[in-house]
Structure formats: C-alpha cells, structure tokens
Amino acid sequence: MTYKNDLLIATGLYPPDIGGPATYSKILNNELPKRGFSVKILNFGEVRHLPKLIRHLIYFWRISYLIPKSKVIYAQDPVSVGLPVMLACILRRRSYFLKIVGDYAWEQGCQRFGVTDLLDNFSVRGDYPWAVKILKKIQLTVARRAQKIIVPSEYLKKIVTNWGVNSERIVVIYNAFQPQEIILNKKEVRAELGLGSGESQILISAGRLVPWKGFDLLIKIMPEIRMEFPRAKLFIAGSGPEKDNLEKVIRENNLSEFVKYLGQLNKEILSKYLKAADLFVLNTAYEGFSHQLLEVMSLGTIALVTDTGGNPELIQSKDQLFKYNNKESLVEAIKNLLKMTLEQKLQRQMSQKYVETTFTKDKMLENLILTLELKNK
C-alpha cells in the first residue's frame, strides 16, 4: 500500500504554543523531511477553542480520516490526543506509537482534585477520587495498547512501568537540545537587561507556575539568603495557575524589592536572564526531563535542582542536588554555591558543557527512526 504520509504526529501543542511537546513536534516536522520522510502534523490546538466534547469528537474524526493515508501514527501524550488516537486506530485496525513525558492523571489530580502525593507514590497507588481513577485508567489503557512507548528519561520509564506497562515495550530516547547562542557575556547581558553590572547575586527560577514546582519556598527563603548576601535578588519567570498566589506571597512578606516576577518570557529574553544569573534554582517535586535545565547548563549558569525525576540524569555534582521543599538543605546549597571561587565556577561551567554533545538532534532522530521502524523509500 502507498501512503501519503510516512509519519502522522498527533500533538496537543505546536508552535506558536510553547512547551516541550510543541518544540519536539516542530523538530520532527522540520528535520524528518530532510532525511526523506514525509510528515503530517495534526495539532489539537486547532480545535481547542471548541466546547470540550465537540473538539474531541472533531479531532477523533480528523485522526480517523488521516490514519489510512499514514504509515506510522505517533501520539504525543496518553490522554488529550492519545485517547482519540487509540479509538481511531481501533476503528481503523491500526497500531500506534505513544510518547509519554509525564503523568497527566497526577498533574490534574494535584491541580483539581486535592492529590498531595508525590509522583513516585501516586504511580503505584489507586485510592484516589473517582475522577483521578478514570484518568489513571485512560492513560494506562492507551499506553498498554501502544505498539511501543517512548519516554525521555529512565525515571519516566520507571513511572510508566509502575502504571502496569511491560518495561520491555518502553524505549528511552533523550530529547534533542539546541543551545541558545548569546554572544554577550554575563556583565553585558546584565547591563542590557537593566540589572546593573555590579556585585549583586542573581538567582532565577523558571517554569510553569504549578504547586509541585515549589516557587513559594524560593520566595520565602530570600530574607535568610540576604542575611549573608545583602544584594541577592530572585527572579521568577513563567505562567500558570499559581501566579496570583505567588504574587500574594511576595506582597504579604514585603519582598517586592528583591523578588521579581517576570511573567511569561519569550525564549530569547528568558535565555538572557538565565545567562545573567549566578544560580538557577529548580525546587520541583517532579521533572521528567527538563529542557530548561539543559539550556541553563549550556549557557554556563550553575544549576541547583531537586534530586527527583530525571534531574540526576543531567546533574553530575551531588552538591547541586537537594531534597524537594527541604528548606535547610536548599538554603545551605544556595549559600555554598554562591560562595564558590571564580576557578570553581569555571570548572562547573566546563563540566556542564557535555550537554551540547550528549543530547544532540542527530542522536535523537536516529534513535527515533529506528524505534518507529521508519524506512526510506
């Protein structure tokens, strides 16, 4: 049979949307045709403006229409696009591949249904509200029916295995990373951003503003950090449901002079703030595989992150890892890293540069082509 599309990608996000799935799908759409493969993107964002049931029904029929024209079907999550893909493939008697970059049931449970467990415990427990149980059942069913599952870290392979999926059907392929090029040095970037070029210690954190990212603790420890580093400042970049709460924490603790909320920044501006910082801090309960962390490391900024999720797969120095929401260990680690000599900082920066050769686009594409069993015409 002759197919019009070698690969049909069903994705929930696509540029101008931001986020890992959008970036990943864009890379595949740009790069696979250069390697002789035709790609069709079906973006859920095109129907997101419609009422819930209607948009899912329309997306399902679009998938069903395109499946006979496509050799390989590749869904980018197990619920929003994964469920319609699974149903359409059952209708068309076809198989599909699935990418999993997180636990949707856990994320929704934390945001909407009062779940407080960390992901490791959540992935093996079942005594949750009925809505959470339904989401867990959906993502497990979609995962079990997939021909193969692709995850971006060994940690996520463990989580999906905890769901009840055979680990032999899960393939770890690290995502590609494209370093942001900034010609200016730290002093010049600070001057351009109006941060001054003096001796201020600048901390920055960035990401989606959700409860498990722990931004509130970063804000609350700043007075203690400033007792030893009086010119220290914290910048937070991102957007999300915790925005109003974090701004309230800043106001109520009278921290607005040295804690600044930057909002959602485009990639170029955010990269400049990352370059200007002395330390990037990520107090997160969960991180499957952080593109943000890779960018920080490639820019030469020292990273301090929790020892959870895929973070230890990227950070090699133990003193750059701490326990989630542990105030004492976080404060101690920040102070120790800010005290580093110039020589120590240069050594850390050089050791972090390995990301530019480890997580390359060519390696990711080569492994993906083999896993999806794509073959050149």
Side-chain angles (χ1 to χ4, degrees):
M1 180 177 179
T2 301
Y3 295 102
K4 182 179 180 180
N5 310 305
D6 289 306
L7 181 63
L8 170 61
I9 299 174
T11 180
L13 295 171
Y14 194 76
D17 296 327
I18 60 173
T23 301
Y24 179 77
S25 297
K26 181 67 173 176
I27 289 174
L28 299 189
N29 197 29
N30 288 346
E31 297 298 326
L32 286 176
K34 298 177 184 177
R35 290 161 171 77
F37 303 107
S38 56
V39 178
K40 173 66 178 178
I41 300 287
L42 187 58
N43 178 17
F44 189 80
E46 295 175 359
V47 298
R48 191 174 286 116
H49 64 283
L50 300 172
K52 283 189 176 181
L53 291 178
I54 294 177
R55 67 194 183 200
H56 284 88
L57 182 61
I58 291 176
Y59 192 81
F60 163 77
W61 283 115
R62 286 186 179 181
I63 285 284
S64 299
Y65 173 75
L66 289 170
I67 281 176
K69 303 173 183 290
S70 306
K71 185 184 298 183
V72 175
I73 298 93
Y74 187 22
Q76 298 302 296
D77 72 62
V79 179
S80 66
V81 299
L83 180 58
V85 166
M86 181 191 75
L87 296 174
C89 284
I90 291 173
L91 177 67
R92 294 293 190 176
R93 298 182 180 179
R94 293 286 302 277
S95 61
Y96 59 92
F97 293 83
L98 176 67
K99 184 165 188 184
I100 297 177
V101 297
D103 191 312
Y104 182 80
W106 176 73
E107 293 179 6
Q108 292 299 307
C110 291
Q111 293 185 60
R112 299 167 56 193
F113 304 113
V115 172
T116 57
D117 285 339
L118 298 184
L119 179 54
D120 291 80
N121 290 331
F122 179 87
S123 66
V124 295
R125 287 183 55 190
D127 51 336
Y128 294 106
W130 65 269
V132 177
K133 288 182 179 180
I134 290 174
L135 291 175
K136 284 173 71 80
K137 182 65 174 178
I138 289 172
Q139 63 185 19
L140 173 58
T141 301
V142 174
R144 280 179 169 170
R145 281 187 167 271
Q147 183 173 337
K148 286 183 183 177
I149 297 166
I150 296 165
V151 294
S153 67
E154 293 291 342
Y155 171 74
L156 276 170
K157 180 175 181 177
K158 183 192 78 171
I159 292 298
V160 177
T161 301
N162 287 349
W163 293 357
V165 178
N166 188 333
S167 63
E168 294 181 358
R169 296 176 49 245
I170 306 171
V171 181
V172 177
I173 301 178
Y174 288 113
N175 288 341
F177 167 67
Q178 185 65 41
Q180 185 82 8
E181 292 188 14
I182 297 180
I183 300 174
L184 303 177
N185 60 35
K186 179 181 292 188
K187 183 177 180 180
E188 293 169 333
V189 172
R190 285 191 178 190
E192 180 181 307
L193 295 174
L195 305 178
S197 55
E199 299 301 318
S200 296
Q201 293 82 23
I202 295 180
L203 312 180
I204 189 167
S205 191
R208 181 155 169 76
L209 306 184
V210 288
W212 59 87
K213 292 288 187 179
F215 290 107
D216 55 342
L217 180 62
L218 293 183
I219 295 169
K220 292 175 182 177
I221 65 171
M222 282 306 294
E224 190 170 345
I225 298 298
R226 283 174 62 88
M227 289 178 67
E228 189 163 346
F229 300 93
R231 303 187 67 178
K233 296 180 180 180
L234 170 66
F235 292 91
I236 295 175
S239 62
E242 283 289 287
K243 173 181 175 293
D244 292 342
N245 180 53
L246 296 177
E247 290 181 325
K248 181 180 179 181
V249 172
I250 295 172
R251 290 194 308 270
E252 291 184 345
N253 290 276
N254 298 314
L255 304 178
S256 57
E257 180 183 348
F258 49 87
V259 178
K260 307 291 184 182
Y261 171 59
L262 302 173
Q264 184 70 50
L265 303 177
N266 66 43
K267 183 169 182 171
E268 181 181 355
I269 298 299
L270 176 57
S271 295
K272 289 181 178 180
Y273 272 97
L274 296 173
K275 179 77 172 182
D278 295 288
L279 190 61
F280 172 79
V281 187
L282 189 65
N283 177 36
T284 179
Y286 160 73
E287 200 70 44
F289 183 87
S290 176
H291 277 85
Q292 189 70 78
L293 183 52
L294 289 177
E295 181 169 356
V296 168
M297 295 165 69
S298 74
L299 290 169
T301 299
I302 307 301
L304 175 62
V305 301
T306 50
D307 60 355
T308 189
N311 292 338
E313 296 177 48
L314 302 179
I315 295 293
Q316 299 177 329
S317 300
K318 290 185 178 180
D319 62 348
Q320 290 177 238
L321 297 169
F322 68 96
K323 296 293 182 183
Y324 168 66
N325 251 11
N326 187 308
K327 178 182 176 181
E328 291 73 22
S329 64
L330 174 57
V331 170
E332 181 183 4
I334 289 175
K335 290 181 177 180
N336 288 339
L337 291 175
L338 289 178
K339 289 175 185 175
M340 285 193 304
T341 65
L342 178 60
E343 182 179 356
Q344 289 173 322
K345 289 179 181 178
L346 290 174
Q347 289 175 347
R348 294 296 176 93
Q349 290 167 355
M350 290 302 295
S351 68
Q352 290 185 163
K353 289 292 185 178
Y354 83 99
V355 303
E356 297 179 7
T357 56
T358 303
F359 304 100
T360 66
K361 185 166 51 182
D362 287 340
K363 285 183 180 179
M364 183 271 285
L365 290 170
E366 179 182 348
N367 290 330
L368 182 66
I369 289 169
L370 289 173
T371 301
L372 298 182
E373 301 174 2
L374 288 170
K375 296 180 181 180
N376 282 303
K377 301 178 182 67

